[in-house]
Amino acid sequence: MPELPEVETIARELRPLVVGAVVREAWLDWPRQVKHPAPAAFLAGLGGREILDVTRRGKWLVLPLSGEAALAIQVKMTGQLFVLPVTTPRDRHVHFTAAFEDGRELRLRDVRKFARLGLYRRSEAGVLGADEAVDLFAGFGPEPLDEALTLRRFRDLLRARRGRLKPLLLDQSFLAGVGNIYADEALWRARLHPLRRAASLRPADERRLYGAVREVLEEAVRRRGSSIDDYTAPDGDGEMQHHLAVYQRTGQPCWRCGRRVRRIVLGARGTHFCSWCQRLPAADRSEATARLLQAARSRGRHGPRWSELPAGEGAVGARRAAGG
């Protein structure tokens, strides 16, 4: 699933394409992707609204609209967003469009139909959820790259938890936007084992983890995210996948020590690490042994990538794929 850097990249590249555009009408053929309100009300509620901005909260895109509304989009595993002329043929994986008055349309392409959409009320308090009383993102933790998340604040959050580091980093109520890729990468940079308990960290460990989380996310944003499986942005693929130290490098040499990168399944997630550079303290070893012996299975592709689609006028990613 696209994580903070990928969703931030989509937001940045979508913003100049859609801000100021007025939605003439919306269409969808997979009603289950709409979280709120009912699909018919969702489509009707988009008509006539101007897109004011494109922002992000965690792994969600938020498009503030005129009339104190907001369109929230979670692309999830295979969702891709593009802005194309309405005359450009749609392939069968396009399940939502918002046609603009200027002859273009925003398209959501989603091979596995996991993406989610919602139209919510917007106020100074934030994007209000379905009950119109609570912020849609009220349960989210702080943004990892927010200046308000200081080392002291991070330590306070960390010391209030007792779980293992990898599941903790994936917990959106702890930090918003971190997922499987960057949790593995941050732990490798911080030299911390994914099964280590948060309560066992010393101040120096906490500092390294804080710095590693921010550094890897900042680098990934600069590199426009990791184009692994189906992720791509409106302007084409990212390049962070070429700079990942452990994620999906099972059996390859660790960039620090040369030993092989290992993979275990933790909470139904593939977890990659170097057992030499990221040593597990003795106190955590006995309980973790069974997890360390779990067999690993790689995840396959989910569908054709954007670059494998037939080329033509307005073809997705044509400029970047051609070296532009």
Side-chain angles (χ1 to χ4, degrees):
M1 180 186 299
E3 303 175 25
L4 185 156
E6 290 75 41
V7 180
E8 179 66 26
T9 300
I10 295 171
R12 292 183 181 188
E13 296 182 1
L14 200 59
R15 188 175 297 122
L17 298 176
V18 302
V19 169
V22 177
V23 178
R24 177 172 53 82
E25 62 179 0
W27 166 89
L28 61 84
D29 70 350
W30 187 249
R32 291 174 58 184
Q33 70 187 340
V34 179
K35 290 177 62 70
H36 176 78
F42 170 81
L43 294 175
L46 285 173
R49 295 192 189 272
E50 178 184 355
I51 299 176
L52 305 178
D53 198 1
V54 181
T55 62
R56 177 192 57 78
R57 182 68 171 106
K59 301 175 187 178
W60 283 80
L61 289 162
V62 180
L63 283 65
L65 307 173
S66 58
E68 297 184 339
L71 172 62
I73 305 173
Q74 189 177 29
V75 294
K76 290 200 170 182
M77 291 176 66
T78 62
Q80 302 166 342
L81 289 166
F82 304 109
V83 178
L84 298 168
V86 294
T87 54
T88 304
R90 302 174 188 164
D91 76 82
R92 65 189 180 91
H93 297 300
V94 173
H95 300 295
F96 167 77
T97 65
F100 302 147
E101 292 183 348
D102 63 8
R104 300 175 302 142
E105 65 182 14
L106 173 66
R107 294 183 181 180
L108 173 61
R109 183 177 186 271
D110 186 17
V111 172
R112 299 194 68 183
K113 301 179 181 178
F114 289 156
R116 293 295 177 261
L117 304 163
L119 182 63
Y120 301 96
R121 188 162 68 85
R122 178 172 53 86
S123 73
E124 293 183 0
V127 178
L128 301 183
D131 61 4
E132 294 289 324
V134 180
D135 190 325
L136 180 64
F137 307 115
F140 282 26
E143 290 286 332
L145 298 181
D146 195 317
E147 292 183 0
L149 183 64
T150 62
L151 175 57
R152 174 174 293 184
R153 175 61 177 150
F154 181 76
R155 278 180 168 149
D156 290 342
L157 294 171
L158 202 54
R159 292 174 183 182
R161 303 294 187 116
R162 297 184 178 276
R164 299 187 185 277
L165 291 179
K166 175 65 182 287
L168 179 59
L169 290 177
L170 297 182
D171 184 347
Q172 298 302 290
S173 69
F174 176 68
L175 290 179
V178 179
N180 209 37
I181 298 172
Y182 302 110
D184 284 357
E185 294 296 307
L187 289 170
W188 180 83
R189 292 189 182 204
R191 296 175 179 262
L192 295 171
H193 197 285
L195 293 178
R196 185 163 177 178
R197 293 191 177 277
S200 74
L201 298 184
R202 298 178 178 180
D205 300 323
E206 296 168 340
R207 180 184 291 275
R208 289 201 314 275
L209 182 57
Y210 172 77
V213 168
R214 292 172 67 92
E215 287 169 8
V216 73
L217 293 176
E218 288 170 350
E219 179 182 351
V221 170
R222 290 196 306 272
R223 297 186 186 280
R224 302 180 57 259
S226 299
S227 287
I228 295 171
D229 293 325
D230 294 271
Y231 162 72
T232 193
D235 202 23
D237 282 357
E239 59 177 44
M240 187 63 185
Q241 66 274 16
H242 303 303
H243 303 272
L244 300 176
V246 288
Y247 186 78
Q248 289 194 352
R249 295 192 65 244
T250 307
Q252 298 181 44
C254 170
W255 289 351
R256 268 196 302 255
C257 70
R259 291 170 173 80
R260 290 185 179 182
V261 173
R262 299 186 64 181
R263 181 184 187 275
I264 60 171
V265 177
L266 180 59
R269 302 289 188 91
T271 297
H272 308 78
F273 64 101
C274 173
S275 58
W276 181 261
C277 293
Q278 300 167 257
R279 297 190 188 186
L280 191 63
D284 285 335
R285 287 177 192 166
S286 59
E287 188 178 342
T289 299
R291 294 183 184 274
L292 291 170
L293 295 176
Q294 287 178 332
R297 290 192 300 177
S298 60
R299 185 176 65 184
R301 288 273 301 281
H302 301 303
R305 292 190 46 73
W306 65 273
S307 55
E308 297 168 346
L309 298 175
E313 182 179 357
V316 170
R319 178 170 62 81
R320 181 167 293 276

